[in-house]
Amino acid sequence: MGIITISAANCKNCYRCVRFCPVKAISIRDDQARIEDKACIQCGICVNQCPQNAKQIQGGLEAVLRYRASGQPLLLSLAPSYSGAFEQSLTEIAAELLKRGFSLVEETAVGARIVAGEYRRLVAAQGDGGCLISSPCSVIINLVEKHYPRLLPHLTPVVSPMIAHGRLLKARWGPESRVIFAGPCIAKKEEAREPAVAGAIDAVLTFAELREFLASPELPPAQRPRSLAPNPDAGKGRWFPLPGGLLRAAGLAEGVLEQDILIVDGMEEVMAALEALAAGEIKPRLVEMLACKGGCIGGPFMPKAPVFPARRDRFITTLLSLEDGEHIAGREEIELGREFRVRPYQRIYPGEKKIRAILDAMGKTTPDKELNCGSCGYESCRDKAVAIAQGMAELEMCVPYMREKAENLASTIIDFTPNAILVVDAQLRIKEFNPAAEKLFKVMAEAVKERPLGMVMDETHFATVLNSRRPLQVKVEYPHLGIVTHQRLSYIEEEDLVLALIIDITDMERQKEAFATVKRETIAKAQEVIEKQMKVAQLIAGQLGETTAESKVLLTKLIQLVQEGGDENVLP
Ligand code: SF4
Ligand code: SF4
């Protein structure tokens, strides 16, 4: 499982992460975003961009608590960008961590300084025409290994400062000690378990996780481990988080001709540089690459406040205020070499026929219909069609296509419903007049659209709904057309419109009238029979009187039934 997971419940399928992922490693299937781990370079951009906080990062705190509980010495390697993320000084952070079970807090810059020396040596030994791509940034390694495997031989075969420092700490304090790295980068979580360098770092925390740990309760003094003396020998290794920092730390910035050196930061520049290198358009001797714009201080997992320039300012102020310690690097012998492996992520590029068929299915039947609006997360409709063919995207991600589909469905319903539909605006001008309305009011839509409603019917009920903003149901007769209608009027707040659904109830009204006539006649007949019976009863008194009384009861019931039956035809 990768280090980023997506909560299906939170993902609202907005495609923002697809848009921002520099290597398009996010697929959408069944209306859910999924990270394709084989393609993901762990830049973390999508985590930061998700407005729903749907992405979770594999946590490292659990491991730290486990190591602490087991009594193994906990050593913290603190990435040099810490001063951009924390207001406290290194000494203050270290003091708080010692109260919570750490034995040592040391700057990763100690490892960076040694790595910088190795770069200096390799550049000096480099033959003519060689090109080295810097490798302290794990995202750059992932990018080259997965997406630019041809450039793999150019990755500088040196471990990152994190790994160098982890090895240094273990060499000094014993292999049983647990080295925890804290930094601004989630890619370090995977780098720590990469087979080529595994064993140097036992857990990786983001600065946010470290902050969480710092907020946890202190250990009682009796349970705190003995503190160990940190190596203050970080020197210019502290410059690594800034673009050009590695070169400065290695003392290379002045030694190589300007055009031999390329410094790029941010995914856009990095990928452009890799493309140019792969195409042979540029031939620098050394390319320093940092995936995050502005270097690690600009990374997606640095706190949002203060803003980047203020963070950078604080970082540089801290950096200049720190003095170099005694130069003790090199006392421990550690392996600095590193191998990389090709992990190509290849997608089969579909043929033109397939792309064309998908574009057609999206309604992009002609080039002018290819809006290239980017709402699906892809640069162009064609890119999106390719992604669909590769199983990374779905047809329904095209917003204009879905809107058109919905509009077509809506207009089909409006066109084919047997009931008249009218829409009027706040000025009582007709905006919609469907074919059933044309038939009912015997006027063509073109003749009345955008014209006053009064041309077709009385405006009173529509004006009432506009003013009250409440729905209304009325029966309205149009004697000149020979029709009776039942009208349901609703106010549409978002558009300030009135929508009317008009049902022709003329036939129903006629049936009701015919039934009422029959009813009236039946009642009259029954009354007549009763009166006649009563007269006969008065003439023949005695035993016949009872029968007559029964007839009267029966006929009276019949009258009631007829009257009640008539009420069932009243409109709801
Ligand atoms: S950004 Fe990606 S993960 Fe977040 S809600 Fe949108 S589609 Fe889902
Ligand atoms: S971490 Fe980076 S590469 Fe991976 S899915 Fe997110 S944006 Fe894409």
Side-chain angles (χ1 to χ4, degrees), residues 156-206:
T156 312
V158 176
V159 293
S160 68
M162 173 184 84
I163 298 299
H165 193 218
R167 286 180 179 166
L168 267 179
L169 289 174
K170 291 218 171 194
R172 197 181 324 146
W173 301 111
E176 72 286 357
S177 55
R178 294 294 169 199
V179 181
I180 316 299
F181 171 81
C185 178
I186 58 166
K188 291 288 177 203
K189 289 185 183 257
E190 194 171 89
E191 184 191 335
R193 58 189 193 201
E194 175 64 25
V197 293
I201 298 291
D202 297 289
V204 173
L205 301 179
T206 59

Side-chain angles (χ1 to χ4, degrees), residues 473-536:
Q473 292 200 43
V474 280
K475 187 167 102 176
V476 184
E477 285 192 48
Y478 298 94
H480 66 291
L481 295 170
I483 56 170
V484 185
T485 61
H486 177 77
Q487 304 189 356
R488 293 179 183 193
L489 281 67
S490 311
Y491 177 66
I492 305 171
E493 191 161 356
E494 296 77 20
E495 313 286 340
D496 200 16
L497 297 170
V498 175
L499 166 76
L501 179 71
I502 302 179
I503 304 164
D504 182 2
I505 56 168
T506 312
D507 287 346
M508 201 193 295
E509 287 295 301
R510 280 192 191 127
Q511 281 170 11
K512 262 175 72 181
E513 188 47 47
F515 184 76
T517 307
V518 171
K519 189 170 82 174
R520 276 194 302 275
E521 287 170 358
T522 307
I523 292 168
K525 278 280 173 213
Q527 288 288 5
E528 202 180 310
V529 172
I530 291 170
E531 277 162 26
K532 277 185 186 163
Q533 285 274 15
M534 291 310 291
K535 278 180 190 162
V536 173

Side-chain angles (χ1 to χ4, degrees), residues 33-318:
R34 293 159 210 260
I35 292 181
E36 303 294 324
D37 290 322
K38 285 185 176 165
C40 174
I41 54 172
Q42 283 126 27
C43 64
I45 292 173
C46 61
V47 180
N48 219 18
Q49 287 295 338
C50 177
Q52 299 296 323
N53 288 327
K55 297 194 173 73
Q56 288 98 38
I57 301 159
Q58 198 178 75
L61 277 176
E62 213 176 286
V64 174
L65 296 178
R66 208 173 47 243
Y67 296 143
R68 185 175 72 175
S70 70
Q72 290 156 306
L74 284 183
L75 317 177
L76 189 88
S77 170
L78 187 60
S81 50
Y82 75 88
S83 58
F86 292 89
E87 281 175 17
Q88 299 101 310
S89 68
L90 177 66
T91 317
E92 287 167 336
I93 295 172
E96 290 303 313
L97 287 171
L98 295 178
K99 288 181 200 163
R100 288 166 179 80
F102 274 86
S103 301
L104 173 92
V105 176
E106 195 170 286
E107 292 175 88
T108 316
V110 173
R113 188 172 191 169
I114 297 172
V115 167
E118 192 63 4
Y119 270 80
R120 190 177 175 81
R121 187 184 70 75
L122 286 171
V123 169
Q126 194 184 25
D128 282 348
C131 169
L132 289 174
I133 298 173
S134 66
S135 57
C137 174
S138 329
V139 176
I140 300 296
I141 297 175
N142 292 338
L143 184 62
V144 173
E145 287 187 340
K146 294 182 178 183
H147 298 277
Y148 296 90
R150 275 181 54 206
L151 297 175
L152 199 80
H154 296 286
L155 277 176
T156 312
V158 176
V159 293
S160 68
M162 173 184 84
I163 298 299
H165 193 218
R167 286 180 179 166
L168 267 179
L169 289 174
K170 291 218 171 194
R172 197 181 324 146
W173 301 111
E176 72 286 357
S177 55
R178 294 294 169 199
V179 181
I180 316 299
F181 171 81
C185 178
I186 58 166
K188 291 288 177 203
K189 289 185 183 257
E190 194 171 89
E191 184 191 335
R193 58 189 193 201
E194 175 64 25
V197 293
I201 298 291
D202 297 289
V204 173
L205 301 179
T206 59
F207 281 148
E209 287 176 295
L210 182 62
R211 202 178 288 280
E212 202 181 320
F213 185 77
L214 283 166
S216 68
E218 297 172 9
L219 291 180
Q223 288 179 24
R224 293 177 198 167
R226 183 174 63 90
S227 66
L228 306 170
N231 179 357
D233 183 25
K236 289 197 171 61
R238 295 185 179 117
W239 287 95
F240 266 58
L242 286 179
L246 184 158
L247 293 171
R248 193 180 167 127
L252 289 169
E254 303 86 5
V256 187
L257 287 177
E258 287 275 308
Q259 68 202 82
D260 279 351
I261 294 178
L262 185 62
I263 301 169
V264 282
D265 58 314
M267 285 309 300
E268 209 172 311
E269 270 187 38
V270 161
M271 288 178 76
L274 290 174
E275 291 290 343
L277 279 173
E281 290 170 18
I282 51 171
K283 293 186 173 61
R285 288 183 64 198
L286 179 62
V287 191
E288 193 199 293
M289 287 188 171
L290 290 173
C292 295
K293 192 77 197 151
C296 309
I297 299 162
F301 296 99
M302 290 297 278
K304 299 282 172 292
V307 291
F308 171 73
R311 281 203 301 272
R312 186 177 183 278
D313 195 52
R314 193 164 72 191
F315 169 78
I316 292 176
T317 308
T318 309

